[in-house]
Every structure is written in structure tokens, then in C-alpha cells.
Amino acid sequence: MEHRKNIVVVLKGLILHKGTVLIVQRAPDDEVGGGTWELVGGGMRFGEELEAALIREIEEEVGLTVTVKKVLYAATFQTHPTRQVVILTYLCTSEQHEVILSKEHIHYCWATKDEARQLLPPAIVYDFEKNGVFSLAEWR
């Protein structure tokens, strides 16, 4: 019996506010990456526009209204042999900073560059360095 292979599109927002980035910590019981820190975002629903899906996910997960500026980079990895994730990371800004977490996450942090380097998993830090995220003019 052949197992169906799935590709999932995930949208992430590098949300900047006054020189810091919003990162969130996954709940410990999350099946993929429980307890790890990440950018805000999530899966795209069939028929959704990319930016609309990202705006919806950010609102659902942290209660913020954002402006989507541009795509920063794309990355892909397999979570297991039959599931591949494609992540599109966008630069976003928000005039708000009051976060209301959903049940998917247990903590949040408006992180400086140094804090982000320490808290985010090595794979995300690598993607940030490879794609010039830490040196963005918008992240001052």
C-alpha cells in the first residue's frame, strides 16, 4: 500500500515593532516542534491568497493586525517521510504590540536580534543568516 505524500504550505510573518521581532513558543504537546520558538504564522487553506492567509493566521494566533510588506525567503523541510513543508516568510509590521496568544503557543517575546539568535532553533537562525534577515534595514 502506497502512503500518500503531502506538501503543506506554511506562511510565517517576521513581525517587526520598534526594532524587535515577535516570536512565540509552541505548546509542549505540539506534535511538530513542541516547546520550540518560532515566528507567527500557519497553514494556508485551499483557495486562500497567500497574504490573506498570513494575515488571518497572525490574527488568530496573536491577535495582531499587520501590514505585509514583502516575501523575505522560502524554505522547505520534511517533518516525516510523507510530509514536506514549504515555508514562505514575509516581512510584516504592526502598530500594535499587545499580544493575545492562542492555545497553540504558551509564551511570546518581542525579541531583539540577540534574543532571537538565542531563542530560535538553529535551522531558523541559519535561514535568517542565509537570507540576510538580521541585516534588514527595517530591523533597527
Side-chain angles (χ1 to χ4, degrees):
M1 184 168 112
E2 187 178 324
H3 290 282
R4 186 178 169 104
K5 292 180 172 73
N6 291 310
I7 294 178
V8 179
V9 177
V10 173
L11 307 160
K12 295 288 185 175
L14 182 88
I15 306 168
L16 297 178
H17 179 80
K18 296 186 178 176
T20 59
V21 63
L22 181 61
I23 59 174
V24 290
Q25 187 178 23
R26 285 179 175 265
D29 59 354
D30 195 311
E31 70 177 69
V32 178
T36 59
W37 289 86
E38 64 181 352
L39 297 176
V40 181
M44 184 177 166
R45 295 178 184 157
F46 185 83
E48 268 186 315
E49 294 289 329
L50 292 167
E51 293 182 10
L54 178 59
I55 290 167
R56 175 188 53 75
E57 279 288 342
I58 291 170
E59 208 284 322
E60 287 175 4
E61 289 189 359
V62 294
L64 294 179
T65 302
V66 298
T67 301
V68 179
K69 299 291 190 178
K70 64 183 177 184
V71 175
L72 293 174
Y73 66 91
T76 186
F77 62 93
Q78 283 184 245
T79 57
H80 49 74
T82 60
R83 184 171 182 266
Q84 181 177 355
V85 177
V86 175
I87 297 179
L88 302 175
T89 301
Y90 286 80
L91 174 63
C92 301
T93 57
S94 180
E95 296 303 313
Q96 305 167 284
H97 67 280
E98 292 297 324
V99 172
I100 303 161
L101 285 179
S102 71
K103 290 182 172 69
E104 292 177 54
H105 298 97
I106 54 170
H107 295 295
Y108 73 92
C109 174
W110 285 102
T112 63
K113 289 179 189 180
D114 286 343
E115 290 166 336
R117 282 183 197 274
Q118 290 174 10
L119 291 172
L120 290 170
I124 296 176
V125 173
Y126 172 81
D127 283 342
F128 276 23
E129 288 172 347
K130 177 180 163 191
N131 295 287
V133 173
F134 287 119
S135 55
L136 284 170
E138 295 89 347
W139 193 353
R140 294 190 191 103

